[in-house]
């Protein structure tokens, strides 16, 4: 799992510990590594199948960068940014008199937990009290910022959360150093290996 770097994102996300998102796309900025699946928000950052698979497949790149970088999170992986922006514009028209923080009149209620929606509003909108805004108050710039937060939220991280060491490290044993028939080390007598796959 990924430990979020100190900053606005970590401060806001720490209040979301225990919330899960059923389907996200999580990618490592600057690489081709991306994984889709459920995501769990923890008190330190991100975990769950999408985060664990990403840390496994990107283990070498993560090790090279001392487990620091930026994650890109799409909470609506089945929709492109332009489609999300169009849906937000439609929602603005339908719920114009409602507050954007309204639990009843929020978009994507079936996919995004309410508390997570409130945090996205705070991260996306540069306003002194963004949760007090009504849908009618939102400009195209505001809607674009919300669409970006829903489809490409950048989350800096500075380490791994070692809860039970569930993360994958870049390392291992070269198969040329193992007798595959007995799983014995060719380098160190009396040492045997085993492995599992996920």
């Amino acid at each position: 799992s990924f430990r979020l770097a100190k900053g606005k994102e970590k401060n806001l996300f720490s209040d979301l510990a225990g919330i899960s998102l059923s389907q996200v796309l999580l990618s490592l900025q600057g690489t081709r590594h991306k994984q889709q699946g459920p995501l769990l928000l923890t008190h330190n950052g991100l975990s769950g199948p999408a985060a664990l698979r990403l840390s496994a497949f990107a283990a070498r790149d993560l090790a090279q960068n001392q487990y620091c970088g930026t994650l890109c999170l799409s909470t609506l992986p089945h929709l492109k940014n332009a489609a999300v922006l169009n849906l937000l514009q439609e929602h603005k028209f339908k719920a114009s008199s409602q507050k954007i923080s309204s639990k009843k009149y929020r978009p994507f209620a079936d996919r995004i937990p309410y508390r997570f929606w409130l945090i996205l509003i705070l991260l996306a909108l540069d306003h002194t009290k963004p949760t007090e805004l009504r849908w009618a108050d939102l400009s195209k710039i505001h809607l674009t910022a919300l669409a970006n937060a829903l489809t490409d939220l950048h989350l800096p991280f500075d380490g791994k959360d070692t809860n039970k060491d569930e993360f994958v490290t870049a390392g291992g044993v070269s198969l040329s150093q193992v007798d595959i028939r007995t799983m014995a080390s060719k380098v160190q007598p009396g040492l045997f290996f085993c492995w599992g796959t996920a």
Side-chain angles (χ1 to χ4, degrees):
S1 32
F2 296 90
R3 183 181 67 220
L4 293 181
K6 289 182 180 174
K8 184 176 183 180
E9 293 85 358
K10 182 168 185 161
N11 292 340
L12 291 172
F13 268 60
S14 64
D15 292 338
L16 299 176
I19 286 183
S20 63
L21 300 167
S22 61
Q23 199 63 230
V24 303
L25 179 64
L26 191 63
S27 58
L28 182 60
Q29 189 179 49
T31 73
R32 292 182 180 189
H33 300 292
K34 59 177 107 176
Q35 289 296 318
Q36 193 167 330
L39 185 72
L40 174 67
L41 305 174
T42 70
H43 62 284
N44 280 329
L46 307 176
S47 191
L52 294 173
R53 280 197 306 267
L54 182 62
S55 70
F57 286 102
R60 285 195 172 99
D61 287 328
L62 290 167
Q64 264 182 339
N65 292 306
Q66 299 173 334
Y67 227 87
C68 292
T70 301
L71 296 168
C72 302
L73 172 65
S74 173
T75 54
L76 301 168
H78 58 289
L79 294 173
K80 300 274 186 212
N81 184 283
V84 172
L85 182 57
N86 286 338
L87 290 169
L88 288 172
Q89 288 169 332
E90 289 173 19
H91 192 79
K92 174 184 173 177
F93 179 74
K94 290 180 200 170
S96 60
S97 64
Q98 303 299 322
K99 287 185 179 180
I100 62 171
S101 59
S102 168
K103 189 172 189 174
K104 185 176 179 183
Y105 294 101
R106 65 192 161 98
F108 314 112
D110 58 331
R111 296 179 214 139
I112 298 174
Y114 178 63
R115 286 176 40 218
F116 190 79
W117 171 249
L118 293 177
I119 297 302
L120 285 177
I121 291 170
L122 293 172
L123 287 171
L125 302 181
D126 185 24
H127 192 273
T128 53
K129 293 185 179 178
T131 56
E132 296 299 313
L133 292 171
R134 299 194 181 281
W135 280 98
D137 300 329
L138 298 183
S139 67
K140 182 151 185 173
I141 292 171
H142 290 129
L143 293 173
T144 300
L146 271 176
N148 291 342
L150 287 161
T151 60
D152 191 27
L153 182 63
H154 290 208
L155 300 168
F157 66 96
D158 63 3
K160 50 193 165 197
D161 193 5
T162 57
N163 292 332
K164 302 205 187 246
D165 294 332
E166 81 274 288
F167 59 88
V168 177
T169 59
V173 177
S174 171
L175 290 179
S176 66
Q177 297 176 348
V178 179
D179 180 342
I180 298 299
R181 291 174 293 119
T182 63
M183 298 306 295
S185 170
K186 294 178 182 176
V187 178
Q188 179 66 44
L191 178 63
F192 293 84
F193 299 98
C194 66
W195 65 73
T197 58

